[in-house]
Amino acid sequence: MKLYERFLNYVMYDTMSLVGQNTVPSTPGQRVLAEALTEEIRSFGIEDVRLDEKGYIYGSVPANIDEEVPVIGFIAHMDTSDAHPSPKQQPRIIENYDGSVIQLAPGVELDPDTDANLKNAVGCSIIVTDGTTLLGADDKAGAAEIVTALEYMAAHPEFKHGKVAFSFTPDEEIGTSQDNFDVAAFGADFAYTVDGADFGDIEYENFNGASAVIRIKGVETHPGEAKDKMKNAALIAMEFDAMLPPWERPEHTSDYEGFYHLLDIKGDCSDCEMSYLIREHDREKYEERKETVKRAAAMINARYGNGTAEVEIRDGYRNMAEMVRPHMHLIDFAKEAIAECGVEPRVPAIRGGTDGAELSFKGVPCPNLGTGSFNHHSLMETANIDHMEKCCEAILRIIGKYAGFKAEGQN
């Protein structure tokens, strides 16, 4: 089966994950795809593939060389975002894309003048949505690329490699996939998530991330009798937000610049609740951002009385750079492999997080590779077939390079 055919098969599984469910995976469609993937991989003759009770797939291909080399792993997630529905009909293939504007649905179009990845796809074959659903390339493109690489290894015993581990996980989009990830069952020394966007990207620097909830307690009275009595929680919430630097919001920042993002606000005169994302690459600046939120709440309490503002801050993921930098062979081999595929490698910082960040702090350094898909979580989601094939080739090239790995830090 060709890689793009495999991908088109996977995207027709409805695997949207949902917050607040009491099951793992959070939705039954993820389990259905996991069972199909497990059987498909077994059909290649790969015996070591296991589907656990929580919907995680773990497996490995044994080494066919005598040298002792690290176990390299590859990970993709099976779920898709809840931003839009999964495809209801087979997505459209546009062969030899000519660089024109693509109308997907009324009011939904792909324009190369405003989409650099689409512009770079001129001459390639691409897969697009009908403008009403996601495509599911995040991360079924990564899953298809890893499975295709496994199929190649099983069919080509002359391809020399050390032991290769693989895993496919549920519920990445709702941030819980690492909660139940079994590092020992995975069994890799080093790994790559195959979950990025444009092929050629190698990502190992990500935000430190926290979530903050601010609860404002007001005093509600009849507005005709409100003088010196009313404390309008909604207005106090707006006052709190104004204390955070307005130029440090996502829409005004880029590259390594962190931000405060007001994700949600709800309430009334009596009570109001605000949810924020706090993001920063630098660890010291990250800690300072959390203190800034606490100081703003303290100022509200000093102005309106103790207990007016309550703050709850929870740390999420950390910047994996500190865990990857001692093992830069991960980046060097990926750069070499991508260059050998005819693409200039890039090493951008992630303005977000990744499962690889959490896994890196569990002892398996794990940068992220671009899959050749883009516009994730949107109706304009697109997969570049040519770049997906190059990603699969790069995976195999990386595996081949580790077959000659002799010692830590030695290429």
Side-chain angles (χ1 to χ4, degrees):
M1 182 183 295
K2 293 182 179 179
L3 193 157
Y4 79 88
E5 294 172 333
R6 176 168 283 127
F7 170 71
L8 289 173
N9 177 36
Y10 295 170
V11 300
M12 295 308 296
Y13 286 84
D14 184 356
T15 59
M16 177 192 295
S17 53
L18 295 172
V19 174
Q21 308 303 301
N22 295 320
T23 59
V24 181
S26 63
T27 52
Q30 297 181 70
R31 180 83 191 189
V32 174
L33 176 57
E35 291 171 352
L37 285 176
T38 301
E39 289 306 310
E40 182 180 12
I41 293 167
R42 283 185 181 140
S43 74
F44 304 155
I46 296 174
E47 297 179 358
D48 180 21
V49 54
R50 297 100 60 204
L51 173 59
D52 75 8
E53 70 281 0
K54 294 185 182 296
Y56 289 71
I57 298 172
Y58 304 99
S60 67
V61 179
N64 60 8
I65 57 174
D66 294 331
E67 295 82 358
E68 186 174 339
V69 297
V71 179
I72 303 303
F74 295 87
I75 305 171
H77 64 88
M78 296 175 286
D79 64 316
T80 55
S81 167
D82 65 354
H84 299 286
S86 299
K88 300 296 189 297
Q89 59 185 14
Q90 193 85 348
R92 175 161 53 121
I93 298 175
I94 300 175
E95 296 183 357
N96 192 24
Y97 170 58
D98 62 6
S100 60
V101 173
I102 304 170
Q103 297 293 333
L104 301 175
V108 183
E109 65 179 24
L110 286 165
D111 187 345
D113 288 340
T114 58
D115 189 332
N117 286 322
L118 183 62
K119 191 170 186 177
N120 291 337
V122 172
C124 299
S125 294
I126 60 175
I127 302 173
V128 299
T129 75
D130 64 1
T132 66
T133 73
L134 292 178
L135 179 59
D138 178 14
D139 183 29
K140 290 170 182 173
E145 289 154 4
I146 294 171
V147 172
T148 302
L150 295 175
E151 182 182 38
Y152 180 89
M153 285 191 290
H156 294 82
E158 73 279 5
F159 174 70
K160 299 302 180 185
H161 57 83
K163 183 177 180 180
V164 176
F166 55 88
S167 180
F168 302 94
T169 65
D171 292 336
E172 189 270 352
E173 295 291 359
I174 61 173
T176 61
S177 62
Q178 282 297 304
D179 292 355
N180 298 288
F181 189 84
D182 189 333
V183 176
F186 183 41
D189 298 307
F190 305 102
Y192 297 86
T193 48
V194 188
D195 188 23
D198 197 21
F199 174 67
D201 286 351
I202 310 161
E203 300 164 329
Y204 75 96
E205 295 179 277
N206 63 281
F207 275 140
N208 295 292
S211 60
V213 176
I214 294 86
R215 299 179 180 89
I216 306 294
K217 182 69 176 177
V219 175
E220 189 173 16
T221 64
H222 189 285
E225 303 172 350
K227 184 172 173 60
D228 299 325
K229 297 178 183 178
M230 179 182 285
K231 297 178 183 178
N232 191 319
L235 291 175
I236 294 171
M238 294 168 64
E239 194 173 336
F240 174 92
D241 185 70
M243 292 179 180
L244 303 179
W247 57 90
E248 295 183 8
R249 296 171 180 164
E251 60 266 37
H252 302 306
T253 58
S254 62
D255 301 323
Y256 287 90
E257 297 169 333
F259 56 75
Y260 307 93
H261 176 42
L262 178 57
L263 190 65
D264 181 68
I265 181 170
K266 56 192 174 188
D268 51 27
C269 183
S270 179
D271 296 282
C272 195
E273 183 174 293
M274 314 166 75
S275 299
Y276 284 87
L277 301 180
I278 302 171
R279 300 291 186 264
E280 182 61 65
H281 275 91
D282 181 84
R283 186 73 183 185
E284 281 189 26
K285 292 180 180 178
Y286 172 64
E287 297 298 332
E288 178 57 29
R289 286 192 181 279
K290 292 189 288 184
E291 289 303 314
T292 296
V293 171
K294 293 176 184 178
R295 285 195 297 268
M299 292 173 66
I300 291 293
N301 287 330
R303 187 172 301 171
Y304 294 100
N306 287 335
T308 302
E310 295 182 354
V311 176
E312 178 185 350
I313 298 178
R314 296 182 61 185
D315 287 308
Y317 45 74
R318 290 180 283 174
N319 188 347
M320 67 174 140
E322 63 182 277
M323 306 306 293
V324 174
R325 284 192 180 115
H327 312 286
M328 287 301 285
H329 51 83
L330 284 160
I331 309 306
D332 294 338
F333 282 162
K335 283 181 176 179
E336 291 174 15
I338 290 167
E340 289 165 7
C341 292
V343 173
E344 183 70 25
R346 301 170 299 275
V347 190
I350 310 172
R351 288 183 59 77
T354 166
D355 269 4
E358 291 193 55
L359 187 56
S360 293
F361 283 93
K362 291 178 180 178
V364 185
C366 185
N368 189 38
L369 300 176
T371 63
S373 58
F374 50 94
N375 298 338
H376 297 160
H377 296 201
S378 82
L379 302 175
M380 289 80 74
E381 191 175 12
T382 304
N384 184 321
I385 294 175
D386 299 57
H387 288 187
M388 288 173 64
E389 291 172 347
K390 287 181 182 293
C391 182
C392 180
E393 179 186 346
I395 290 171
L396 291 167
R397 288 183 179 275
I398 290 170
I399 292 169
K401 291 178 186 299
Y402 273 101
F405 190 87
K406 299 301 182 184
E408 180 65 21
Q410 176 184 343
N411 290 349

